[in-house]
Amino acid sequence: MFFNSLAFAIFLPIVFFLYWFVFNKTKSTQNALLIVASYYFYSCWDWRFLFLLVFSTFLDYYTGIQIEKGKTERNRKFWFWLSVLTNLGFLGVFKYYNFFASSFAELLNNVGFKASPILLNVILPVGISFYTFHGLSYVIDIYYKRIKAEYNFVDYSLFVSYFPLLVAGPIERATHLLPQVKIKREFDLQMAKDGVCQIIWGLVKKVVIADTCATYANAIFDHYTGMNSFSLILGAIYFAFQIYGDFSGYSDIALGVSKLFGLDLLRNFNYPYFSRDIAEFWRRWHISLSSWFRDYLYIPLGGSKGGLWMKIRNTFIIFVVSGFWHGANWTYLAWGFINALYFLPLLLSNSNRNNIDDVKISWNFDSVKVMLSILSTFLITCVAWVFFRAKTITDAVLYLKRIVTNRDFGFQYLDNERYSYELLALVGLFVLVEWNSRTKTEPLSGNKSTLKIALAILAIMAFGTFSDYKEFIYFQF
């Protein structure tokens, strides 16, 4: 059940009505309804993996209590590592086993040994990377005595399985979401209005920008050997807006839907393509994942403390692991490594926190430098996205090589639904709207919101891609 599907358009109003008009008496009934709705939402993909979600939920619930009750450090460590290793074990088997087995067999074959790996014929449970990280952060925080264990199983289950964030984030923290689910929610009209605005803008990002860009990005990447330099550059730009519109669109819809139920989720995107350097980009892109790795990996490794080589080591570890989190492919590792290389000069010059304020533009030379820094950051980000999108590292290298060596910048028309110049105009308009709204959560709320909502709905109807319900990219992670 996708957010942009007819099924979800039926599902959401039903849950909303039941939540506020039937199960609104107590916090417990509200939470119970949301859990049932969440489990149904998840089972629409494959009901068999619902058992894995329930098991993971119970594991972290129980081990969290045992860690808190542990009277000795040895006992606390036992339950802590039981949770961590079991969670990572499930993630490793479903997501990474085939990758490691195939890679090891290929290595043996390359050095003269014959190897036929035993591979698992299983599909990746949707959202496993996200709900695993929910549980891990909860257990880690209990172990380090940052929070108390949750003894109400219903409340904890909702924290893990809440349907707006279940399959593609944002990656929530117990310190932020659990206190909200432990109290009865009262209907807030303004919060609901803000939620509707965010849902509509998320749909604009998904069906108007992401899915339309995907039509061209897929055609270019799948046939890059026959494309000229200009088309390949467009392909990288199209994919940059595809993945941004797809993932941030999902996050906007998730946050907006959650506001309809009186629950506030962590912001996941903050206009990342207006970043002035790569460090700022990573403070604005997939914020919940970046902060998760910062708090639970980077800082425990020593963070920016210690010597220069420790800083460099920690930087590469966090970026490479972040790349590997996205999928079992060498291309994701390469993408993470490239971003670490981008980040390294800022780290060495101690300028990785230079741009922590919002972008301000005025008519002077400094503003020209700001715009050039935004453009250059976007371009190097597009280069890295080529590795993220390509099927193999070789394909990514050849794709970039062809941009440089082909030198044909004539416009190639592709056999698709829309001409590329129309799409460029659409993307350009989208950038202008986001630029003018860069200090807000989304562009539709505030003054003249009714008019802006009407125009957004008109854009969805006129320019949206509805030939099929295209899956959100991050569902595969």
Side-chain angles (χ1 to χ4, degrees):
M1 186 190 301
F2 303 124
F3 281 170
N4 55 325
S5 67
L6 178 61
F8 188 76
I10 297 172
F11 167 82
L12 180 59
I14 293 174
V15 178
F16 179 84
F17 176 82
L18 293 174
Y19 183 81
W20 289 116
F21 295 100
V22 180
F23 291 83
N24 62 328
K25 304 302 181 185
T26 66
K27 176 266 296 185
S28 297
T29 56
Q30 288 179 323
N31 290 353
L33 172 67
L34 289 181
I35 289 175
V36 172
S38 298
Y39 284 165
Y40 172 77
F41 178 82
Y42 191 78
S43 67
C44 287
W45 277 279
D46 193 322
W47 63 268
R48 293 169 297 179
F49 288 125
L50 189 60
F51 295 104
L52 181 62
L53 172 62
V54 173
F55 175 80
S56 177
T57 301
F58 180 77
L59 170 72
D60 295 329
Y61 167 78
Y62 185 76
T63 55
I65 293 174
Q66 296 306 313
I67 291 169
E68 184 172 87
K69 287 183 175 180
K71 299 188 180 301
T72 65
E73 186 61 22
R74 182 177 180 180
N75 183 259
R76 297 178 73 250
K77 279 187 176 181
F78 169 79
W79 292 108
F80 171 74
W81 285 111
L82 176 65
S83 174
V84 170
L85 294 178
T86 304
N87 275 297
L88 293 181
F90 278 122
L91 190 61
V93 169
F94 284 104
K95 191 170 184 177
Y96 299 109
Y97 171 79
N98 285 351
F99 169 76
F100 283 116
S102 298
S103 298
F104 184 66
E106 184 178 356
L107 176 64
L108 292 178
N109 289 327
N110 288 338
V111 296
F113 296 95
K114 290 185 178 181
S116 299
I118 300 175
L119 302 180
L120 301 178
N121 186 25
V122 295
I123 61 174
L124 179 67
V126 64
I128 187 172
S129 297
F130 290 92
Y131 68 71
T132 296
F133 272 36
H134 288 154
L136 284 175
S137 66
Y138 169 77
V139 169
I140 293 171
D141 283 345
I142 294 175
Y143 180 76
Y144 286 104
K145 300 181 179 179
R146 298 166 186 155
I147 62 172
K148 296 289 186 179
E150 176 54 56
Y151 284 75
N152 186 313
F153 184 68
V154 173
D155 291 353
Y156 178 74
S157 297
L158 182 57
F159 160 69
V160 175
S161 61
Y162 184 39
F163 75 88
L165 56 78
L166 178 57
V167 296
I171 300 172
E172 269 293 342
R173 305 290 184 88
T175 52
H176 181 253
L177 186 56
L178 263 177
Q180 296 182 68
V181 305
K182 291 186 68 62
I183 60 174
K184 182 179 180 293
R185 277 78 67 190
E186 302 294 339
F187 184 73
D188 185 327
L189 180 59
Q190 185 56 52
M191 191 176 188
K193 288 180 178 178
D194 292 341
V196 170
C197 288
Q198 204 158 3
I199 291 170
I200 294 173
W201 187 244
L203 286 172
V204 169
K205 287 181 175 180
K206 170 59 178 172
V207 303
V208 177
I209 300 301
D211 290 349
T212 308
C213 285
T215 303
Y216 268 80
N218 292 341
I220 293 171
F221 273 88
D222 291 345
H223 306 92
Y224 72 91
T225 56
M227 297 292 166
N228 66 12
S229 294
F230 186 62
S231 294
L232 293 174
I233 292 171
L234 284 180
I237 293 173
Y238 288 154
F239 179 71
F241 281 98
Q242 177 195 351
I243 193 169
Y244 170 64
D246 189 282
F247 192 23
S248 70
Y250 178 93
S251 294
D252 280 339
I253 298 171
L255 268 66
V257 168
S258 190
K259 287 177 181 177
L260 295 180
F261 299 102
L263 295 170
D264 181 53
L265 301 182
L266 293 170
R267 187 176 186 179
N268 218 15
F269 288 86
N270 185 16
Y271 305 102
Y273 288 155
F274 300 144
S275 301
R276 289 153 288 185
D277 58 47
I278 203 67
E280 184 182 12
F281 174 83
W282 280 106
R283 288 192 294 271
R284 293 173 175 269
W285 178 277
H286 203 172
I287 301 168
S288 63
L289 179 67
S290 300
S291 61
W292 198 99
F293 278 122
R294 178 197 65 204
D295 295 342
Y296 299 108
L297 182 61
Y298 184 70
I299 292 177
L301 287 171
S304 57
K305 299 178 181 178
L308 177 62
W309 288 112
M310 179 180 286
K311 295 179 183 178
I312 295 174
R313 180 203 68 180
N314 294 345
T315 297
F316 275 90
I317 288 176
I318 192 173
F319 276 107
V320 171
V321 171
S322 177
F324 201 43
W325 176 90
H326 283 84
N329 194 318
W330 291 107
T331 55
Y332 296 123
L333 289 170
W335 172 74
F337 185 82
I338 290 169
N339 276 280
L341 290 176
Y342 290 162
F343 190 87
L344 190 58
L346 299 174
L347 178 69
L348 296 177
S349 60
N350 200 30
S351 55
N352 53 302
R353 295 194 64 80
N354 280 359
N355 298 309
I356 58 175
D357 57 333
D358 289 327
V359 179
K360 295 180 177 63
I361 297 295
S362 55
W363 295 103
N364 56 41
F365 181 70
D366 286 339
S367 293
V368 175
K369 292 193 296 183
V370 169
M371 294 306 295
L372 289 175
S373 65
I374 291 174
L375 180 60
S376 61
T377 301
F378 175 71
L379 291 177
I380 64 172
T381 301
C382 286
V383 172
W385 283 136
V386 171
F387 285 85
F388 192 97
R389 172 60 177 80
K391 296 178 181 178
T392 66
I393 292 178
T394 300
D395 285 331
V397 172
L398 292 176
Y399 187 105
L400 295 172
K401 180 182 178 181
R402 186 168 175 81
I403 291 177
V404 177
T405 59
N406 177 264
R407 299 176 187 174
D408 178 2
F409 291 91
F411 199 91
Q412 284 182 318
Y413 285 94
L414 304 176
D415 186 20
N416 285 307
E417 297 176 5
R418 291 175 173 84
Y419 289 116
S420 202
Y421 65 83
E422 293 176 320
L423 179 54
L424 283 175
L426 198 62
V427 170
L429 179 60
F430 171 74
V431 171
L432 287 176
V433 171
E434 290 233 313
W435 174 261
N436 289 328
S437 308
R438 63 189 183 279
T439 59
K440 300 169 55 179
T441 303
E442 39 71 27
L444 303 184
S445 58
N447 295 331
K448 300 180 179 178
S449 61
T450 302
L451 175 61
K452 289 185 286 188
I453 289 172
L455 290 174
I457 294 174
L458 182 63
I460 292 171
M461 296 172 63
F463 303 110
T465 300
F466 298 104
S467 56
D468 55 14
Y469 298 126
K470 293 181 182 293
E471 182 177 331
F472 288 84
I473 294 174
Y474 268 66
F475 279 19
Q476 64 185 292
F477 304 140

